[in-house]
Amino acid sequence: MPELVLESNGRTWTLDASRTYTLGRDPQGDIVFDDARVSWRHATISWTGRSWVIEDHGSTNGTFVQGHRIHHLEIGPGSAIHLGNATDGPRLSLSSATPAVASPHAQPKPQQGPQQPYVAQGATPGWAAQQAAPQQAVPHQAAVPQQAASRPGGRKEAPQAASVPQQPIPEQSIPEQQGPGGGAGVPPVYGDRSPTTFHQVALGRVMRIGRALDNELVVSDLQVSRRHAEFHATPDGRFEIRDLGSHNGTFVNGIPMAKGGSALLGPNDIVGVGHSTFRLVGDRLEEFVDTGEVSFSARHLTVTVDGGKQILKDVSFGVSEKSLVAVIGPSGSGKSTLLKALTGYRPADEGDVLYDNRNLYKQFAELRRRIGLVPQDDILHKELTVSRALKYAAKLRFPADTTAAERDARIDEVLRELKLDIHKDKKVTSLSGGQRKRVSVALELLTKPSLIFLDEPTSGLDPGMDRDVMQLLRGLADDGRTVLVVTHSVAELALCDRILVMAPGGSVAYFGPPEEALNFFGYPSWADVFSAFENYRDYDWAGRWKGSQHYQMYAADIDAVAPQSAHMPPPQAMRPPKPQGWASQLGTLVRRYVSVIASDKGFLALSVLLPAVIGAVSLLIDPDKTLLVQVDERTGGVKPNSTATTVLLILAVGACFAGAANSVRELIKERVIYERERATGLSRSAYLMSKVIVLGAITVLQGAIVGVIGFANREIPPEGLILGSGKAAVMIELSIPLMALGFTSMMVGLVISSLVRTPEPTMPLLVMFAIIQVVFTGCLFILHGTPGVNEVSYLMPSRWAVAAAGTTLDFNRISPNTEDPAGTDPLWDHEASAYLIDMAALLALAAVCAFLVARFLRRHEPEVMRK
């Protein structure tokens, strides 16, 4: 079988026909190219038994022979291959085997043994060379505690393996750092990646960017508006970018422009539009498309809480593109805090998070849409079908000018990718745990994020579903995304490219390939490793890691590349734009909430049954007595009518309880959904208003039912204070305070729901609220003239509602203050002004509750947005 010699950049390899050779940027490949245009696993070369062939494996930028892109081609001596670019991409020249290239260090990496692969075409001595170091894992002897003769766990430590000398990289193989356009000193946009496309900009010309086909620069991205922005080349040689009222915004250096605003561009300014980034170099406009192949790194992340306690300590690691990374560690090791720091939900107090060399915290407004987050709890409404839940999510996340057909096409594409298309008409509640997790992932994939973070996606799943979810994540990474998963499960770690092991106290204990981790710790199982963490909590696990050979191979060069500089704008300048207008978001949220409620038959039945029962119960109280002022025929004076006050007490407390019960769980059960949607551009006020409208309508209807049943069969005054004479008018006048009371109680329920951390405390708080309202109605004892108690009663919705109805019924005469006949309650005065004042105070309490809910909701938003 003939051997083949490959030559590139002064180095040669002799290929043996008995095996297949992998070309790409993967440090574990056979021939490694550190060039951004080359994909992670770009192509393979193999002998078919008849000829040598090269096969492209779906590379992003392609494989070229004689200027033509190829996918599968026979090759031989004399052939020339370019990777990533037909003209200036890394070049491979092929020739017949000669003895001159038989030196050991020039051979491709063997299938077995710790041979280091060659790093070609501009590799840096740090990252690529360290990544390619031998995969030999040994316990670290220097980490043994001083007081013990063995490492934590009792067994003797094996001696540390000597470091294998790394193959030197010739100076001529390390080109001078240049920007993507080739100009030295120009800051990189996507590392050192070459532009996806070039556009010539002529003076005086206008180049419009957008999704519509009639734009000069068409960007096929649903995050981009149909007519998004314009580049202007002014006659005096300056360049300007103008936003055309885009929905998701136009960004300059990561900072959102004002809608419809403009900005002059300098040579180092970067313009972001959806997943595309533009930069002017001379008279040429360079476009970089974020296809998902991005690097991601954390540098020296430290989080300190009140009291100075550090829950995250100097965490640093780097993730290459198309990687699956698992974060594991015992409870209290800071995994959740790390996830919040990496996604920008809670930025670290010290350190940086770099998205392809861009500071995530400083450019969060732009980069947030390229990051997907799947929390531990489901981020969609389980009462809806899969397709309907995704449709509402797409409506909220995509620009207002996207059509239903465009959104449906994207939804169908994601469902097919995740093999959910056969389940799209099923309710989420009917799916298995693994399938529900797939739906949550599908929701995040709608916007094509490059980075996907998952928090405990396999929690509560059986081993089979655990494997299915991890295989799904492996597929997502292979398809061109970087996936980071926080997990307690260690059964499927072999599917990951890297694992990050967190030690107690929030420090890094290990970062590297999963197959080397147990040997690094020197234990046979992960259970033993976690036990060691627990038994040796004060041990310096981070120091052991930083002093190891693995640290030198996988993390030592994390600071080698300086991040792209960007000034920190004032907080108001970082306010990210919303993809939908406020009214459009409100309409979508209301429709979604109505759909959720309509699908819950039990809630609907209870919503009608509860007020009917409350109204019917009030009929049992002295059914033959009226609610009118009764005159004593013997004395001619007014007789107290306890029936009126008791009936009104029952109806008021029932309306209170029904209103608060409707809302007391609504915000807490959707908290995870709200947190995620808020990070993607949801309006807080639109979300709150959707709850107020839908729940308010239900509660007001319940109040009307209570009033109609409670007053219809009673004798009531023939004439009211506001609506005039007639039983129907007076009954409505008496029912309006009950409806307003239910509405205000519903707002109090929202306050409770926004305060609690879990659903469990809501029911005790609901009961306590209802009992307090009973006491402060004024029907049980006289409130007016009782110092302190009367003033506190002004904070109770039931006090004002009973007072408003009491003005119509003339409570000062029905229930006079016998101890002080002259001390009538001014809130009960039989006057129209007293009725209006009572109602105004009741609605003012509702407004105060709305303000409090809005403030409390801020606590559940990404902290970088709150600041």
Side-chain angles (χ1 to χ4, degrees), residues 638-654:
V638 175
K639 294 193 303 183
N641 185 356
S642 61
T643 301
T645 55
T646 305
V647 168
L648 198 54
L649 170 66
I650 296 299
L651 297 179
V653 173

Side-chain angles (χ1 to χ4, degrees), residues 97-233:
T98 62
V101 295
S103 61
H105 68 273
Q107 296 292 328
K109 185 180 68 175
Q111 289 177 296
Q112 297 179 343
Q115 181 67 33
Q116 174 182 332
Y118 167 63
V119 181
Q121 194 78 8
T124 56
W127 172 258
Q130 290 165 3
Q131 292 281 4
Q135 306 299 310
Q136 183 173 337
V138 293
H140 192 273
Q141 184 176 2
V144 181
Q146 296 297 324
Q147 66 269 25
S150 62
R151 57 159 177 78
R155 290 186 296 144
K156 291 186 178 180
E157 183 74 74
Q160 180 180 352
S163 300
V164 179
Q166 296 183 356
Q167 182 175 341
I169 307 296
E171 291 185 7
Q172 60 268 27
S173 71
I174 308 175
E176 180 184 357
Q177 283 290 334
Q178 295 182 345
V186 178
V189 177
Y190 290 117
D192 59 352
R193 197 166 303 164
S194 294
T196 307
T197 312
F198 301 99
H199 309 277
Q200 290 299 129
V201 182
L203 295 181
R205 183 184 175 190
V206 175
M207 299 183 67
R208 189 172 60 198
I209 307 171
R211 204 172 70 249
L213 298 179
D214 59 352
N215 292 286
E216 285 76 15
L217 297 178
V218 179
V219 179
S220 300
D221 182 358
L222 290 183
Q223 297 278 14
V224 178
S225 298
R226 296 184 63 82
R227 290 169 180 80
H228 197 103
E230 289 179 343
F231 277 105
H232 286 253

Side-chain angles (χ1 to χ4, degrees), residues 324 466-474 485 492 495-496:
L324 174 59
D466 182 356
R467 180 183 58 194
D468 291 344
V469 170
M470 291 301 293
Q471 288 177 341
L472 165 67
L473 303 184
R474 177 70 263 172
V485 53
E492 304 297 332
L495 293 173
C496 301

